[in-house]
Amino acid sequence: MTQVSRRSNAEQASDGADLSGKNALVTGANTGLGQETARVLALRGAHVTMACRNRTKALAAKQEIVDSAEGKISEAQLDFLELDLNSLAAVRKSAGEFKERQRPLHLLINNAGIMIPMERRTDDGFEAHMGINHLGHFLFTNLLLDSLLLAKGARVVIVSSSAMGMATLTPQLRDLNWASRKFNGFRSYGDSKLMNLMFSNEFNKRYAGEGIVANALHPGVIATELARDQSIPFMLLGIFMVPFMKTVSRGAATSVYVATSPDYERRGGLFFSDCREKKVLQKLAQDEDACAALWQRSCQMTGIADNRS
Ligand SMILES: NC(=O)c1ccc[n+]([C@@H]2O[C@H](COP(=O)([O-])OP(=O)(O)OC[C@H]3O[C@@H](n4cnc5c(N)ncnc54)[C@H](OP(=O)(O)O)[C@@H]3O)[C@@H](O)[C@H]2O)c1
């Protein structure tokens, strides 16, 4: 493998990786970082399930990947799985459908996400950042445990964000659902991204011994569709910032690196940015009791049993 750096793109970050015979699943693979992550994992030989909420967009993205690959990626390498993280019932259905395909799952990339300024609720009544970015993925990952265990060496890669610096989470996990506080879109997005990291840490603690490691990452700042619901001034600022942002391929590099580097085959519970391990400043993410408490609360909210309590 060549040396990776903050300037590496996703292909450079996975140079030399051979994923033939491996199965990957990328959530939100129809656009942005997820599409590029799916493309490069397939380029390295993996079979990739593109788990997306919109079939038409997903199939168009699949076609784009195959058409641009000059024969290096076959249609059969890319599958579509309908996944709407806005509804726990839909998440259960998707996980069931994936399990019916009886594929061991070597790489699960929890990438899909939203960042919205307004208060919105999921079908189950959860604040949308928490519901989609954290709870939907929490449930999906837990329901796919059998498939991950079947791989006998699996990696879960969780796309978090340095926006967790804006989080308002308390050690007591007070008002996670923004029921009694004045809503703030950036702060609730930050909360959900800190939950991503806390979930990754707790998942790794629970399952690394059984051969599934979990790591979380910040991809950088990239001009994708993530800001599609933001205000016009925010968008204008974004346009001004484009020259300073990473390209999508460089943005997907850290996900691909963490998923393919031999260094992280068995090492988890880490946080990455720019294809490097980074120290996390958020105390809550290092607080084992808080991570365990978030896991338990997430079990209650998603209606699954905590099999370790
Ligand atoms: N871009 C950045 O600067 C940046 C920085 C830090 C972290 N991140 C993180 O990177 C990840 C990828 O974001 P991106 O920048 O690539 O944004 P993006 O271009 O907006 O892609 C987001 C993906 O998530 C999917 N998604 C949204 N809601 C969903 C739902 N309810 N169920 C299933 N899928 C859903 C979208 O599907 P549709 O197309 O159908 O809406 C899309 O495929 C996110 O977790 C984000 O928080 C991004």
Side-chain angles (χ1 to χ4, degrees), residues 72-129:
K72 291 186 200 129
I73 299 172
S74 71
E75 292 225 14
Q77 268 182 274
L78 297 166
D79 255 358
F80 165 66
L81 176 75
E82 188 170 336
L83 170 67
D84 187 353
L85 296 158
N86 194 54
S87 150
L88 297 179
V91 170
R92 286 180 186 281
K93 188 162 174 277
S94 303
E97 272 175 34
F98 184 81
K99 276 160 71 177
E100 273 172 25
R101 297 177 191 177
Q102 298 189 327
R103 288 181 196 282
L105 183 55
H106 302 86
L107 303 172
L108 171 61
I109 319 291
N110 287 344
N111 162 84
I114 57 160
M115 182 182 76
I116 54 175
M118 63 293 214
E119 183 167 2
R120 241 186 55 202
R121 298 273 151 185
T122 67
D123 285 1
D124 305 280
F126 297 116
E127 187 284 316
H129 289 116

Side-chain angles (χ1 to χ4, degrees), residues 30 33 53 57 84-85 111 189 193 220 222 224 226 228:
N30 59 281
L33 306 183
R53 62 176 162 174
K57 282 194 200 174
D84 187 353
L85 296 158
N111 162 84
Y189 176 69
K193 292 287 139 182
I222 309 106
T224 61
L226 188 66
R228 63 185 105 170

Side-chain angles (χ1 to χ4, degrees), residues 245-266:
M245 292 183 186
K246 283 186 175 179
T247 60
V248 169
S249 189
R250 278 171 56 195
T254 306
S255 298
V256 170
Y257 174 68
V258 175
T260 61
S261 165
D263 294 346
Y264 303 105
E265 205 169 350
R266 290 183 214 292

Side-chain angles (χ1 to χ4, degrees), residues 181-308:
R181 289 179 288 161
K182 187 172 173 338
F183 183 74
N184 180 303
F186 289 118
R187 294 205 175 277
S188 67
Y189 176 69
D191 282 355
S192 72
K193 292 287 139 182
L194 180 53
M195 289 182 212
N196 285 160
L197 173 59
M198 293 168 75
F199 169 45
S200 175
N201 288 347
E202 180 66 16
F203 185 96
N204 189 68
K205 192 171 150 201
R206 288 174 176 237
Y207 292 107
E210 293 181 45
I212 317 171
V213 293
N215 285 301
L217 62 97
H218 169 62
V221 179
I222 309 106
T224 61
E225 294 175 33
L226 188 66
R228 63 185 105 170
D229 292 314
Q230 295 295 336
S231 64
I232 291 171
F234 185 95
M235 299 278 208
L236 290 175
L237 182 68
I239 292 168
F240 177 72
M241 294 294 289
V242 166
F244 307 102
M245 292 183 186
K246 283 186 175 179
T247 60
V248 169
S249 189
R250 278 171 56 195
T254 306
S255 298
V256 170
Y257 174 68
V258 175
T260 61
S261 165
D263 294 346
Y264 303 105
E265 205 169 350
R266 290 183 214 292
R267 290 182 63 215
L270 303 167
F271 184 71
F272 294 79
S273 173
D274 291 331
C275 297
R276 290 217 174 122
E277 288 176 38
K278 286 279 154 73
K279 194 170 168 352
V280 174
L281 300 176
Q282 277 63 39
K283 285 196 182 128
L284 267 194
Q286 291 139 25
D287 179 337
E288 294 196 3
D289 291 341
C291 293
L294 177 65
W295 183 285
Q296 280 163 16
R297 193 78 77 81
S298 304
C299 284
Q300 288 159 8
M301 290 190 282
T302 56
I304 56 172
D306 183 355
N307 55 13
R308 302 276 165 103

Side-chain angles (χ1 to χ4, degrees), residues 161-176:
S161 170
S162 61
M164 65 183 157
M166 296 183 292
T168 60
L169 283 193
T170 61
Q172 299 74 26
L173 305 178
R174 235 178 271 125
D175 196 18
L176 287 187

